[in-house]
Amino acid sequence: MENKNKKSFLERMGESQVWKSIIRSGVPRSRRQRMQAILGSVFLHLHPARIPKHAVKIGYTWCMGGLSFFLFIVLTITGILLMFYYRPTVEYAYTDIIDMTEQVPLGIMRELHRWGAHAMVLTVWLHMLRVFMTGSYKPPREFNWGVGVLLMTLTLFLSFTGYLLPWDQLAIWAITVGTNMARAHPFIGHEGPGASLLAIGDINLVHAGSDVRFALLGGRFVGEASLLRFYVLHCIGVPFIVMILMAVHFWRIRKDGGISGPL
Amino acid sequence: MTEDIKTTPPASVSPAEKDDNALGRRGFFRWMTVGWIAFSVATGGFFTVIVRFLFPNVLFEPPQTFKAGFPNDYASNFVDTRYKKKFNVWMVRDEESIFALSTVCTHLGCTPNWLGTENKFKCPCHGSGFRMTGINFEGPAPRPLERYKISVATDGQILVDKTKSFKWEKGEWENAESFLKV
Amino acid sequence: MLQTFKDIIDILSAPTVSFTLLTIAFPFVFPPTDWFEKIHRKFGICRLWTKPGFYGGMIAITFFFVVGYFDPNFNITLTKADNFPIILMIYSMFIAIWWSMYQAYQNDDRLENGLKPMEYNDPDDKVLVWPDLVYIEFIALILFMVFLIVWSILVAAPLEEPANPAATPNPSKAPWYFLGLQEMLVYFDPWIAGIIFPIFIIIGMMAIPYMDINKKGDGYYSFKERRIGMFIFMYGWVVLWLFLIVIGTFFRGPNWNFFGPFEYWDAHKVVPLNNVNLSEYIWVKMLGTGMPTNILLREIIGFIVLIGYMGILPIILAKSWLKNYFQEIGPVRYTFLMLFGLSMLSLPIKMYMRWLFNLKYIIAIPEWFFNI
Ligand code: HEM
Ligand code: FES
C-alpha cells in the first residue's frame, strides 16, 4: 500500500487501463519497453526498433528525407485549410486569395503553404544530393532511388500546379508556357513532330482540339476549365500518387536493409 | 500443341470415354480466347472512357470573331495594338495590305510586345523577335506569327475571324482571305 | 573600388564567360582523373573542401549578397520574395556539397590507410530508435517548423497583378525550380527542351544505379573511389541545373536578355541575335547556292551531324578511348549511358553554338515541326 503511493504521477498514468489500452508497453523505460514502443505504434514502426549508430547522426542523413515527409504533411494540413476559402474559378480565385490573407485573423496559412512548398523542393533536392553523395542508390537500393526520382518529379509538379491557383500574372503565364510545351509533344501534341502523320486521308487526328494540351487545359485556351483541372490535380490527383509512392519508398527503405551504411 | 490438335481427329475420342463435364483441350482454348478478348475489350474500353472523358464536346470559349473598324482607320506601316487586350490580335497595315496578326508567340504562347522604336515584336519569355510582318528572326520561336482570316463586313467594317488562321511556313499567307488589299 | 568590383562581376557573369569559367574549373574542383587530381592538389584547390574553404566560400557568397543588397539594381532582384528560396538554395547547396566533400576526403584518407570509413560501426552495436532517433526527428521537426513560421510571418507570400491574357510581364520567369528548363528552352525547340529532355532527365536519373556498376562508395561519403561518376553527376547537377537557375534568376532581364547582376534592367537594350540555321550556313553562306527545295536534301548535313554525334561517335569511342570501359559494362549499359550522357552534353554544345555562331537549328524542318 505504502509503496504504491510513492509512485510518480507518470508511473501511475502508465499503469492505468486507459494508457495501457493505447500504448501497450507502458512508459518506455527498459530496453524491452523502448523497443516495444516502436514496434507497437502504427506510426513509429515505420522505423526498425534498433538502427546502426551512424544512421542517427544528423551529419549522415541530414534528416532531409524526414523533413521532406514532414513538409508534405504540413502542406497537406495547410492546404486543406486553404480550401475552405479558395474557389477555383477565374472570377473568384484571385480575390479569394486576397481575402484569405486580409480578412482572416492570423492569416499566415497561405505563407506557410507557399514557403513550405518552396522549402520542400529544397529539402527533396538536398535529400537526393545526400543519397547520391553517400552512394546509397547502389544495390540493393536501385529501385528506391527510382521511386525517389518519381517523387521528386511529382514534388515539382505539385509545386507547379499550386503556383497557378492564385490566377495572377505569374500563374497564367506559367500555365501558358508550361502547357504549350505539351503542344510540342511528339505525336500527341498538335505541333509536335510526327503529329501530322497521324491522319486519315486529309483529316488530322491530332489537332488543337484533340491533343494532350487540350486534355490538360480542358479546352483550346487557358481559362476556366484549365484552372479547375489544375486545381483538382493539385489538391487530389498528384497528392494521391505521391502518397502511394511515399508508402512504397518507406517500405522499401526497410526492405532494402534499412539506412545504407558501410559494410 | 498445334500439331496435337491437327493430328487428333475428333472422332477418335470414343463416345464412351467422353465426359460431358470435362473441358476438352479445344474447349479450353476457345474459352481462353473468349476470356482474353473480353478482358482486352473491358480494359481497352475502360481506358477509352477515361481518356475520352478528358475531352468535353462543348467548350465555353470567348467569341472568335470581332469587328475592327474601317480600313481607313489604319495608317500605313503601323501596328495597331487596340485589339490586343480584348482579342489577342494586332492589326497591321503595311504598304499594300492590312492583316490581323495573332499575338500568340509561336514559341510557347506568351504575348510579345510591339517595340515601335526597334520596329519589332519582342517576346519577354525567351526573347523571340518578330518583324512587323510577323516573320521570326531571333530567339527560339520556330516559325512566324499566324495571321487570321480577315474580310470586310456588309457595313464596311473589317471583320476578323480567329477560327481560321494562316501559317507562313505552309505558304498560306498568299491566301486571299489572309489579308485585305488597300 | 566597389564600382570596379561590380563591373568585373557584371562582365564575369555574362553566361558566355561565367559558364565557360565554371566548365573549365569544374574538373579541377571535382577531379575525374589523376592528372586533374595532381593539379587539384598542387594549386591547393583541394583546400576548398577543408574548413578554411568553407569559411571562404560562405564569406564570398555573403559578400556578394551584401554588396548586392546595397546596390540599387541588384537589390530589386535580390529582395523579391519569390527569390528568397534561391538564396536559401545557394547557401544550402554550398553547405551540403562542402559537407559531403569534406567528409569524403576524410574517408578517402582513411581508406587509403587501410581503415574503415568513419561511418563504420560494429554491426552488433546498434542504438535504440526510441529515444535516440525519435528525439532527433522531433527536435528537427520543431526547429524546422519554427523556421517556417518565422519565414511566413516576415515575408508575405507574393501575389502579382490579376491574370491578364493580353500582357505578359517583362521579363516573365518560370517558378525558380524550373528556370533551368526555361533556359534550355532558349536553345532547343520546345519538343526537345520541354518534352524529350525532361523525360531523359527523369529516366536518366532513374537509370543511374543501373549504369553505375561501381560497387564502391556505398553507404559512406567518398570521392576518389567513384570520382568519374561523381564528376558527371555533379557537372549535370551544379552547372547544368543549379547554375542555370542562378542565371535565370539573377542574370536574365527584360526581353530575356542577359544583364549583369548590378546592371540596370533596360527594357530597350538592343542585342542583335539574328539566328541562322545550319542548312542556311551550308547552302547559302558556304556553297552560295540557294536552299534546295527537297526538305531532306536541304537538311542532309544536319542529319549527318546528328547521326554522327548520337550514333557513330559512341561506336568510335567504344573501339578506342572507352574500350576497356565498354567491355566492363557491356553494350546495353553503354548504349544508355551514351544516350543520356551525349544528350546532356548537347546542351552546353548547343549553347556555345548559339553564342558563337548564332546557330539556331542543326536540323530545321518547321514544316514537320521537326527542329533540333
Ligand atoms: C517526396 C520526397 C521524398 C521523401 C518524403 C523521402 C523520404 C525518405 C526518407 C524519410 C528516407 C530515410 C533516410 C533519410 O531521411 O535520408 C529516405 C531514404 C532514401 N531516399 Fe528518399 N524521399 C524523397 C525523395 C527521394 C528522392 C528525390 C530520391 C532520389 C532521387 C530518394 C532516394 C532515396 C533513397 C535511395 C533512400 C535510401 C537511402 C539510404 O538507405 O541511405 N528519395 N527517403
Ligand atoms: S514564348 Fe515567346 S519566346 Fe518563348
Side-chain angles (χ1 to χ4, degrees):
Chain A
M1 229 27 193
E2 239 186 8
N3 237 354
K4 219 176 189 177
N5 285 338
K6 269 186 196 153
K7 282 193 172 169
S8 72
F9 175 67
L10 210 62
E11 268 169 322
R12 265 191 284 157
M13 209 171 73
E15 279 166 15
S16 72
Q17 191 188 353
V18 174
W19 180 281
K20 278 192 156 170
S21 72
I22 301 171
I23 299 166
R24 298 223 176 269
S25 53
V27 180
R29 285 251 163 65
S30 69
R31 198 177 157 78
R32 206 182 116 82
Q33 278 174 322
R34 285 174 169 175
M35 284 170 65
Q36 266 174 353
I38 298 293
L39 298 175
S41 157
V42 67
F43 301 110
L44 291 179
H45 96 283
L46 264 180
H47 292 302
R50 297 183 311 140
I51 49 170
K53 258 188 185 150
H54 74 275
V56 292
K57 290 216 177 90
I58 201 103
Y60 185 69
T61 64
W62 314 344
C63 219
M64 280 304 157
L67 282 180
S68 306
F69 181 46
F70 173 63
L71 274 168
F72 183 77
I73 295 170
V74 171
L75 290 168
T76 310
I77 295 170
T78 52
I80 291 173
L81 290 169
L82 293 184
M83 286 169 83
F84 289 155
Y85 289 93
Y86 174 84
R87 286 165 291 179
T89 64
V90 169
E91 192 185 348
Y92 293 124
Y94 187 78
T95 43
D96 282 351
I97 296 277
I98 292 180
D99 279 356
M100 79 173 80
T101 27
E102 291 185 353
Q103 314 302 344
V104 183
L106 304 179
I108 60 162
M109 216 42 76
R110 180 168 172 245
E111 274 75 11
L112 283 178
H113 197 72
R114 183 162 183 130
W115 298 135
H118 284 308
M120 183 167 167
V121 172
L122 271 182
T123 55
V124 170
W125 281 0
L126 287 168
H127 172 56
M128 181 203 70
L129 187 67
R130 160 337 252 180
V131 171
F132 183 84
M133 287 308 216
T134 55
S136 303
Y137 59 86
K138 300 189 178 202
R141 297 183 179 79
E142 311 101 306
F143 178 74
N144 219 13
W145 166 271
V147 175
V149 173
L150 291 180
L151 276 171
M152 175 171 72
T153 315
L154 289 173
T155 305
L156 294 181
F157 191 61
L158 262 179
S159 247
F160 183 69
T161 47
Y163 197 76
L164 310 168
L165 301 182
W167 212 243
D168 60 350
Q169 280 288 60
L170 286 180
I172 186 173
W173 293 106
I175 183 176
T176 303
V177 170
T179 53
N180 268 324
M181 284 190 238
R183 186 180 69 176
H185 196 298
F187 295 107
I188 52 175
H190 77 277
E191 283 187 9
S196 51
L197 299 177
L198 300 178
I200 303 173
D202 265 354
I203 305 163
N204 264 343
L205 291 183
V206 181
H207 53 78
S210 72
D211 67 344
V212 256
R213 176 166 184 267
F214 186 95
L216 270 176
L217 290 182
R220 283 176 300 158
F221 306 101
V222 173
E224 199 75 59
S226 328
L227 181 55
L228 187 57
R229 284 195 182 195
F230 278 88
Y231 175 71
V232 173
L233 283 179
H234 181 75
C235 298
I236 301 181
V238 187
F240 176 67
I241 306 173
V242 166
M243 276 195 281
I244 294 175
L245 285 180
M246 278 191 182
V248 177
H249 197 62
F250 298 155
W251 172 257
R252 285 301 293 242
I253 297 171
R254 295 286 302 276
K255 291 292 139 184
D256 294 340
I259 219 77
S260 61
L263 290 174
Chain B
M1 270 304 192
T2 41
E3 225 181 28
D4 270 4
I5 293 169
K6 258 188 263 159
T7 52
T8 321
S12 72
V13 184
S14 71
E17 277 172 41
K18 204 171 160 190
D19 176 358
D20 277 347
N21 286 327
L23 196 58
R25 192 186 286 130
R26 283 208 188 173
F28 174 72
F29 280 116
R30 212 172 292 136
W31 280 111
M32 235 353 215
T33 319
V34 172
W36 273 109
I37 290 176
F39 178 73
S40 319
V41 170
T43 31
F46 182 58
F47 281 105
T48 314
V49 169
I50 291 183
V51 171
R52 188 59 184 83
F53 189 73
L54 297 174
F55 295 87
N57 281 342
V58 181
L59 297 176
F60 300 95
E61 285 172 349
Q64 297 293 307
T65 52
F66 66 96
K67 291 198 171 159
F70 297 94
N72 289 338
D73 295 353
Y74 297 93
S76 82
N77 280 327
F78 186 72
V79 175
D80 190 321
T81 53
R82 263 181 302 169
Y83 301 98
K84 174 179 166 189
K85 193 167 163 82
K86 200 146 175 222
F87 298 105
N88 286 318
V89 167
W90 286 299
M91 300 300 293
V92 186
R93 173 163 176 180
D94 59 11
E95 303 288 321
E96 67 259 20
S97 64
I98 298 179
F99 47 85
L101 209 53
S102 155
T103 63
V104 179
C105 177
T106 51
H107 182 227
L108 289 171
C110 292
T111 307
N113 296 306
W114 171 244
L115 306 179
T117 45
E118 286 140 50
N119 222 4
K120 68 178 181 187
F121 300 102
K122 182 81 179 166
C123 184
C125 286
H126 315 90
S128 290
F130 305 86
R131 302 203 188 286
M132 196 171 93
T133 51
I135 299 281
N136 58 322
F137 68 100
E138 62 177 0
R143 53 200 183 84
L145 297 172
E146 294 179 7
R147 294 183 183 181
Y148 291 123
K149 182 175 161 187
I150 187 168
S151 57
V152 180
T154 41
D155 61 355
Q157 289 208 52
I158 298 178
L159 189 69
V160 177
D161 178 2
K162 286 170 57 187
T163 51
K164 178 128 186 64
S165 64
F166 299 92
K167 300 187 172 88
W168 174 85
E169 70 278 9
K170 297 199 172 151
E172 291 170 346
W173 284 8
E174 307 289 311
N175 195 312
E177 289 184 325
S178 71
F179 58 88
L180 271 188
K181 268 260 174 288
V182 280
Chain C
M1 179 48 199
L2 201 59
Q3 194 51 44
T4 350
F5 169 78
K6 288 181 183 176
D7 288 344
I8 293 173
I9 293 286
D10 276 349
I11 294 168
L12 288 184
S13 62
T16 28
V17 181
S18 58
F19 195 85
T20 311
L21 288 181
L22 205 58
T23 302
I24 294 177
F26 214 73
F28 298 100
V29 179
F30 297 94
T33 66
D34 282 336
W35 186 79
F36 285 112
E37 163 103 32
K38 217 169 74 196
I39 297 186
H40 173 75
R41 302 249 169 231
K42 195 162 150 204
F43 289 97
I45 303 170
C46 55
R47 252 177 278 154
L48 185 58
W49 308 131
T50 59
K51 280 190 179 136
F54 175 73
Y55 298 128
M58 291 297 275
I59 290 170
I61 298 175
T62 310
F63 180 70
F64 180 64
F65 284 144
V66 169
V67 173
Y69 184 79
F70 290 105
D71 179 88
N73 296 321
F74 198 8
N75 182 284
I76 299 170
T77 18
L78 202 59
T79 51
K80 255 183 92 173
D82 259 336
N83 286 349
F84 183 61
I86 303 169
I87 299 170
L88 271 188
M89 178 190 89
I90 293 175
Y91 274 112
S92 62
M93 286 295 161
F94 174 73
I95 295 172
I97 292 172
W98 178 84
W99 175 241
S100 315
M101 291 303 285
Y102 174 70
Q103 297 191 83
Y105 273 32
Q106 288 178 342
N107 273 341
D108 286 354
D109 281 345
R110 291 176 67 102
L111 292 167
E112 216 150 90
N113 296 327
L115 296 170
K116 293 254 185 196
M118 289 177 296
E119 286 86 351
Y120 183 79
N121 287 300
D122 186 357
D124 294 327
D125 184 20
K126 289 194 171 173
V127 291
L128 287 175
V129 165
W130 183 292
D132 297 312
L133 179 62
V134 180
Y135 274 37
I136 290 177
E137 286 175 338
F138 188 62
I139 293 167
L141 187 152
I142 299 276
L143 289 180
F144 199 85
M145 200 61 215
V146 169
F147 165 71
L148 198 61
I149 291 176
V150 171
W151 182 4
S152 298
I153 290 176
L154 291 184
V155 192
L159 188 67
E160 305 274 304
E161 309 268 292
N164 174 3
T168 313
N170 193 5
S172 176
K173 296 192 176 185
W176 62 275
Y177 37 84
F178 281 145
L179 281 174
L181 204 69
Q182 191 171 9
E183 198 62 29
M184 289 202 295
L185 281 164
V186 176
Y187 304 100
F188 282 99
D189 221 38
W191 74 281
I192 304 241
I195 308 284
I196 303 291
F197 276 7
I199 291 177
F200 273 21
I201 293 173
I202 294 169
I203 299 183
M205 293 254 305
M206 289 171 80
I208 288 177
Y210 305 96
M211 297 187 301
D212 174 10
I213 57 166
N214 180 356
K215 289 252 176 337
K216 289 190 191 132
D218 180 353
Y220 53 94
Y221 291 95
S222 67
F223 180 76
K224 205 155 180 191
E225 297 173 312
R226 37 195 292 252
R227 54 190 181 179
I228 294 177
M230 206 88 149
F231 170 75
I232 299 175
F233 180 84
M234 289 311 263
Y235 186 74
W237 176 241
V238 177
V239 181
L240 296 184
W241 191 252
L242 297 183
F243 186 62
L244 289 190
I245 292 179
V246 174
I247 288 187
T249 317
F250 294 132
F251 306 157
R252 285 286 196 181
N255 299 328
W256 214 244
N257 282 325
F258 281 119
F259 289 87
F262 302 109
E263 199 179 328
Y264 170 66
W265 276 14
D266 178 6
H268 293 282
K269 176 173 172 176
V270 180
V271 186
L273 294 165
N274 283 302
N275 292 325
V276 188
N277 293 330
L278 181 63
S279 49
E280 287 164 352
Y281 265 113
I282 304 289
W283 298 108
V284 181
K285 297 214 166 158
M286 276 172 63
L287 298 177
T289 60
M291 303 280 280
T293 40
N294 183 313
I295 292 176
L296 291 179
L297 178 66
R298 187 183 76 200
E299 303 301 331
I300 185 95
I301 305 287
F303 279 108
I304 293 175
V305 170
L306 183 72
I307 293 169
Y309 179 70
M310 293 302 290
I312 303 181
L313 183 67
I315 299 177
I316 297 176
L317 286 178
K319 300 229 154 130
S320 54
W321 190 44
L322 296 177
K323 198 169 170 183
N324 294 336
Y325 189 60
F326 174 71
Q327 264 146 21
E328 197 186 332
I329 67 173
V332 178
R333 285 201 177 85
Y334 183 80
T335 311
F336 280 102
L337 190 66
M338 283 293 144
L339 177 66
F340 297 130
L342 289 177
S343 305
M344 175 171 133
L345 199 62
S346 71
L347 176 62
I349 292 178
K350 188 98 191 265
M351 286 164 80
Y352 276 108
M353 294 208 286
R354 176 70 61 84
W355 293 333
L356 297 178
F357 312 112
N358 277 324
L359 182 87
K360 182 163 186 193
Y361 293 131
I362 295 173
I363 301 177
I365 313 183
E367 294 90 341
W368 302 344
F369 300 117
F370 188 84
N371 303 307
I372 291 175

